[in-house]
Amino acid sequence: MVEQQAETNAGAAMVDAEPLDRRTAIGLSVTDSVLARIRSRLPEFTGALQRVADQVLSAPEAAARATIVELAERSGTSPATVTRFCRAMGFEGYSGLRLGIAAETGRSRSAGWTVDIGREIQPSDPLDRVLDQIMAADTRAMHDTAALLDLAEVERAADAIAGATRVNIFGASGSALVGEEMQFSLHRIGVPAWAWNDVHEGLASAALLRAGDVALGISHSGQTRETIETLAEAASRGATTVALTSFPRSALAELADIVLLTATQATTFRPDALSARHPQLVVLDLLYIAVAQRTHDRAHAAFQRTAQAVDGHKAGKGAAA
């Protein structure tokens, strides 16, 4: 009884957060990837709710078969806590959560995505098994990202970039590498874009932005201080701000005008921050193509000119006869 009362107090704030409204606001529905949604909300959970989330993510197929009492026992909580967790995830009750997980794990098995997902890679594992595990994890992450991504938000970001006089891209560490890929793509089609990974240079550049410009901040966690600071500076100057992150309620996401979500599937030696790279690139590729569609004639001409400019430097071309 004492434990249940403590869990009730710890979980009350989560339940009162109106999860259905927030889910709709970020483009999610009950038919989206349940496990991806749980992962994206993990930083919000504490105590008993976090234990339920961890149990579901660690053994989703077992959770889909378990009764509410069994799941409560396995997570060291109570049926009331499991019910609160279901409500926080947008389900009316436990049956909805079970059905969602069962449908998702069933699709994963039929598509071959579950091969070795979650299993630790051992030093003695042959490379063919490691390859299968990486492919399965990345495939799952891509499908989860497609389920989480709000295409209306991509449209808004593409419209803003297509009409921008300047695009600044901010990120640190691995996110900086992803940002440089986006800058390269936009530059090839004539969009004035710069990628910054130094916080001083980024802040100075953000301070020069104005209305009509776009600032894109990339951070898997959405908690990287340097990226948050540069995006906040850009926002204060009137620029349209876009966040690419895996956590819809992170500080970066809350700051941005437009939020683009990704999902991850960690593997050994590739924790979430590293495994986020491929889903991030997919979302940015989609955004790049959407911008190219909106600036078709200009983009096509720029791409042709830039391709011709470097053509002579390819092996076997431009050599004397």
Side-chain angles (χ1 to χ4, degrees):
M1 188 66 178
V2 174
E3 180 193 359
Q4 290 188 13
Q5 182 62 45
E7 290 171 358
T8 299
N9 294 336
M14 175 61 65
V15 176
D16 292 339
E18 297 184 356
L20 287 174
D21 292 342
R22 178 59 175 163
R23 191 186 66 247
T24 300
I26 61 174
L28 300 180
S29 71
V30 176
T31 59
D32 289 326
S33 170
V34 178
L35 301 180
R37 274 192 280 147
I38 295 173
R39 282 190 206 95
S40 73
R41 302 277 302 272
L42 269 179
E44 304 168 34
F45 296 130
T46 58
L49 289 176
Q50 186 177 53
R51 295 201 296 275
V52 176
D54 289 340
Q55 180 62 39
V56 170
L57 291 175
S58 65
E61 293 190 7
R65 295 191 300 267
T67 66
I68 189 171
V69 173
E70 289 171 338
L71 182 59
E73 290 176 347
R74 292 170 187 173
S75 58
T77 62
S78 68
T81 299
V82 175
T83 299
R84 287 197 302 276
F85 176 79
C86 295
R87 289 179 56 197
M89 295 310 303
F91 296 97
E92 292 184 1
Y94 183 59
S95 61
L97 177 69
R98 284 184 64 189
L99 288 172
I101 297 173
E104 185 174 343
T105 55
R107 288 193 303 268
S108 299
R109 282 196 305 274
S110 64
W113 305 340
T114 59
V115 177
D116 281 343
I117 289 181
R119 173 188 175 274
E120 288 292 315
I121 296 175
Q122 303 300 324
S124 59
D125 284 347
L127 284 183
D128 59 345
R129 184 168 189 173
V130 174
L131 176 61
D132 285 344
Q133 182 169 350
I134 292 173
M135 291 294 292
D138 280 357
T139 300
R140 179 58 174 271
M142 299 297 186
H143 281 269
D144 286 350
T145 295
L148 284 173
L149 189 62
D150 185 348
L151 294 182
E153 291 284 89
V154 178
E155 298 269 4
R156 289 181 60 206
D159 288 340
I161 292 174
T165 53
R166 180 185 180 96
V167 178
N168 273 7
I169 304 170
F170 305 113
S173 190
S175 295
L177 299 177
V178 174
E180 289 173 2
E181 288 278 345
M182 184 60 169
Q183 187 272 337
F184 172 76
S185 297
L186 292 175
H187 191 69
R188 285 295 302 270
I189 60 172
V191 175
W194 287 262
W196 306 96
N197 56 26
D198 177 87
V199 65
H200 291 180
E201 293 177 349
L203 285 170
S205 181
L208 297 176
L209 295 178
R210 55 190 176 183
D213 295 331
V214 174
L216 168 63
I218 304 172
S219 170
H220 159 68
S221 68
Q223 302 294 348
T224 303
R225 187 175 65 183
E226 293 84 352
T227 306
I228 294 169
E229 288 178 355
T230 49
L231 206 67
E233 179 66 28
S236 73
R237 303 296 174 174
T240 299
T241 52
V242 183
L244 178 65
T245 181
S246 297
F247 297 96
R249 297 190 184 182
S250 61
L252 188 70
E254 295 290 349
L255 171 66
D257 298 313
I258 301 169
V259 179
L260 307 179
L261 292 176
T262 57
T264 61
Q265 184 67 59
T267 57
T268 309
F269 305 120
R270 290 200 315 163
D272 283 342
L274 292 179
S275 62
R277 179 180 53 196
H278 291 156
Q280 287 173 341
L281 287 171
V282 166
V283 173
L284 292 179
D285 275 347
L286 177 63
L287 178 58
Y288 157 69
I289 294 296
V291 173
Q293 288 177 315
R294 285 157 174 73
T295 60
H296 181 271
D297 292 342
R298 183 184 69 181
H300 182 72
F303 199 86
Q304 290 294 104
R305 290 199 300 272
T306 54
Q308 290 170 3
V310 302
D311 190 58
H313 287 266
K314 294 180 179 178
K317 292 191 176 183

